[in-house]
Amino acid sequence: MTTVKEAGLATIDMKLEVIVIPVSDAARAEQFYRKLGWRQDVTPPGSGVFQFTPHGSACSVQFGKGLTSAAPGSAQRNYLIVSDIEASRNSLVAARIDVGEIFHITPDGPVTGLDPERSTYRSCALFSDPDGNSWLLQEITTRLPGRIDTGVTSFGSASDLASAMRRAEAAHGEHEKRMGGQRDANWSDWYAEYMAAEQTGAELPT
């Protein structure tokens, strides 16, 4: 049997572009996803197809006429990654989106409230569109090793970059304390190293 490596598949870029979600009323769904503030992309006039892209995402969602035979509302727990789940939830609530309470994952299952240590991948919140297709907000600040190419780091939006800089600033403050309170003249290099390591899951500088 030919292996993935032998077939060369491991080196072929396959970028996830669009996910189709099943809805019963495309016009109603259109209004909901506009309300989320997602970008509405151009689709062929008269096609009955709608496409929206979340801010900072390279992947879009589509819904509408003739796209899927799946039951409306059957797309469950589609992950939306955020760098600050409290701020993200507050913004959604302010836009009158019904969002569940924040909960965090433990070895014994989900528990209400933020993860006490604010650990990456742990804190979540759920909301649904009018058909019941659900979206899971998940707070990720540091990626697990191997999830992102260590030679390539990027930020999907200015807000993601700003959040990363704030975390680097806080960590750098602790770094300067360990240096005896002296100002680190190479703070920009330290920030860059910290932000790149955080994103790729490498060991963080101290």
Side-chain angles (χ1 to χ4, degrees):
M1 179 181 290
T2 301
T3 66
V4 168
K5 185 175 181 180
E6 289 171 339
L9 294 178
T11 60
I12 296 177
D13 286 350
M14 297 182 183
K15 299 177 176 66
L16 185 61
E17 183 76 8
V18 175
I19 293 175
V20 174
I21 56 175
V23 303
S24 60
D25 186 329
R28 181 180 66 175
E30 179 191 18
Q31 293 304 311
F32 177 80
Y33 288 100
R34 278 187 181 179
K35 192 175 178 181
L36 284 179
W38 293 7
R39 185 188 73 229
Q40 186 166 11
D41 300 323
V42 175
T43 51
S47 66
V49 172
F50 299 89
Q51 178 168 313
F52 285 85
T53 304
H55 182 60
S57 175
C59 183
S60 306
V61 297
Q62 278 188 2
F63 53 85
K65 184 179 178 180
L67 290 181
T68 177
S69 60
S74 60
Q76 294 296 302
R77 287 184 171 243
N78 300 287
Y79 280 65
L80 294 171
I81 304 310
V82 296
S83 57
D84 186 330
I85 196 165
E86 283 189 303
S88 299
R89 183 183 181 278
N90 288 342
S91 294
L92 288 169
V93 170
R96 298 184 179 179
I97 302 296
D98 186 11
V99 188
E101 295 298 323
I102 293 173
F103 63 92
H104 64 278
I105 308 300
T106 74
D108 299 319
V111 175
T112 301
L114 282 166
D115 179 73
E117 297 180 0
R118 208 66 184 264
S119 301
T120 190
Y121 291 94
R122 296 290 180 84
S123 298
C124 305
L126 275 165
F127 69 93
S128 300
D129 70 11
D131 282 287
N133 296 302
S134 66
W135 297 93
L136 181 74
L137 298 175
Q138 183 181 43
E139 184 176 82
I140 297 181
T141 51
T142 303
R143 291 284 181 176
L144 291 173
R147 295 294 179 92
I148 294 179
D149 187 341
T150 56
V152 180
T153 56
S154 63
F155 294 89
S157 67
S159 56
D160 267 358
L161 176 58
S163 293
M165 291 181 71
R166 284 192 290 271
R167 292 192 299 273
E169 179 184 28
H172 187 258
E174 296 301 314
H175 167 70
E176 287 188 323
K177 287 179 183 178
R178 289 190 290 271
M179 293 176 61
Q182 297 180 359
R183 180 182 180 277
D184 179 12
N186 294 319
W187 64 270
S188 56
D189 292 339
W190 197 97
Y191 271 42
E193 182 182 354
Y194 185 94
M195 291 163 66
E198 185 184 61
Q199 193 175 79
T200 61
E203 185 176 353
L204 297 174
T206 57

